[in-house]
């Protein structure tokens, strides 16, 4: 994946796609201001992103987050019914988005994702997966078959993934590719 290149045009595109109703991060750069001024700041950010990539160092301010609790469900008095949300720098999120796009393009282009992968892929939502499964089950039941289903809740599964192992596995996977 060494062919990753950042260009000013992609940065501007990302800024134009920002949701202006979102909150700014700890650097107080509001998405609306960034969106409306993207033509003026895209080159500066391009230089900053390129330098960051070249040196493998992020600006210190981009590593800060404002953490706030967001109510999920259940009784409001129970603190386990709140989820921590981190507000981070919008400029850093743009860089993350550019990297994510490149990684996803690489994974899709090299057929590294299973056809059974639905979440986090364009035009392959988990709702589509559910509809396809219901269609298969209906077909199977109409032909006289029986279906047994086990439901598992993976709501907090990623929180339990050992991240060091995940990174190690991804490195091995990349090294194995021709």
């Amino acid at each position: 994946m060494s062919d990753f290149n950042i260009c000013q045009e992609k940065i501007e595109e990302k800024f134009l796609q920002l949701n202006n109703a979102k909150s700014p991060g700890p650097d107080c750069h509001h998405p609306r201001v960034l969106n409306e001024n993207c033509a003026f700041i895209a080159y500066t950010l391009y230089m900053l992103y390129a330098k960051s990539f070249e040196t493998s160092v992020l600006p210190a301010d981009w590593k800060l987050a404002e953490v706030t609790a967001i109510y999920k469900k259940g009784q409001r008095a129970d603190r386990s019914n709140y989820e921590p949300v981190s507000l981070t720098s919008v400029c850093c999120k743009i860089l993350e988005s550019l990297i994510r796009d490149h990684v996803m393009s690489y994974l899709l282009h090299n057929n590294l994702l299973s056809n059974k992968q639905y979440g986090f892929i364009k035009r392959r939502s988990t709702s589509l997966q559910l509809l396809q499964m219901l269609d298969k089950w209906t077909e199977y039941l109409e032909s006289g078959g029986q279906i047994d289903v086990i439901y598992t809740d993976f709501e907090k599964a990623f929180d339990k993934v050992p991240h060091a192992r995940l990174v190690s596995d991804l490195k091995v996977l990349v090294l194995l590719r021709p």
Side-chain angles (χ1 to χ4, degrees):
M1 294 192 324
S2 60
D3 62 340
F4 178 67
N5 291 317
I6 298 172
C7 70
Q8 190 173 338
E9 292 78 22
K10 285 183 183 177
I11 295 169
E12 284 188 46
E13 283 176 27
K14 290 290 182 185
F15 275 105
L16 291 173
Q17 295 169 3
L18 285 175
N19 181 344
N20 292 337
K22 295 288 184 179
S23 298
D27 58 7
C28 297
H29 296 144
H30 198 283
R32 182 175 180 163
V33 174
L34 295 170
N35 176 303
E36 291 176 359
N37 293 289
C38 69
F40 304 107
I41 60 175
Y43 180 73
T44 303
L45 281 171
Y46 162 74
M47 297 299 291
L48 186 58
Y49 292 165
K51 189 67 169 175
S52 180
F53 234 80
E54 178 187 319
T55 60
S56 299
V57 176
L58 279 176
D61 289 352
W62 289 2
K63 297 177 187 180
L64 300 176
E66 288 182 10
V67 181
T68 186
I70 302 293
Y71 171 73
K72 294 186 302 184
K73 57 186 174 189
Q75 293 188 6
R76 291 188 180 269
D78 183 357
R79 66 179 174 194
S80 67
N81 292 329
Y82 288 82
E83 180 177 27
V85 174
S86 300
L87 296 175
T88 57
S89 168
V90 177
C91 294
C92 189
K93 286 180 189 177
I94 295 294
L95 178 59
E96 290 171 0
S97 178
L98 291 165
I99 294 168
R100 179 204 176 277
D101 290 352
H102 181 73
V103 169
M104 287 304 296
S105 175
Y106 177 85
L107 292 172
L108 293 170
H109 179 21
N110 291 289
N111 296 316
L112 295 174
L113 296 175
S114 165
N115 287 333
K116 295 179 177 132
Q117 173 70 39
Y118 279 83
F120 307 107
I121 297 179
K122 287 180 184 174
R123 296 178 297 280
R124 291 184 56 87
S125 68
T126 53
S127 298
L128 176 61
Q129 180 184 32
L130 179 60
L131 289 171
Q132 288 181 345
M133 287 308 304
L134 286 173
D135 190 42
K136 287 180 182 181
W137 290 345
T138 303
E139 245 179 62
Y140 194 68
L141 289 172
E142 287 177 350
S143 66
Q146 175 184 333
I147 298 172
D148 297 319
V149 179
I150 298 174
Y151 291 97
T152 307
D153 182 2
F154 289 113
E155 182 178 353
K156 297 185 185 220
F158 190 74
D159 295 340
K160 297 185 181 358
V161 170
H163 292 119
R165 182 175 171 198
L166 175 63
V167 169
S168 173
D169 289 351
L170 289 171
K171 285 179 182 176
V172 169
L173 183 63
V174 169
L175 291 174
L176 292 176
R177 290 302 293 176

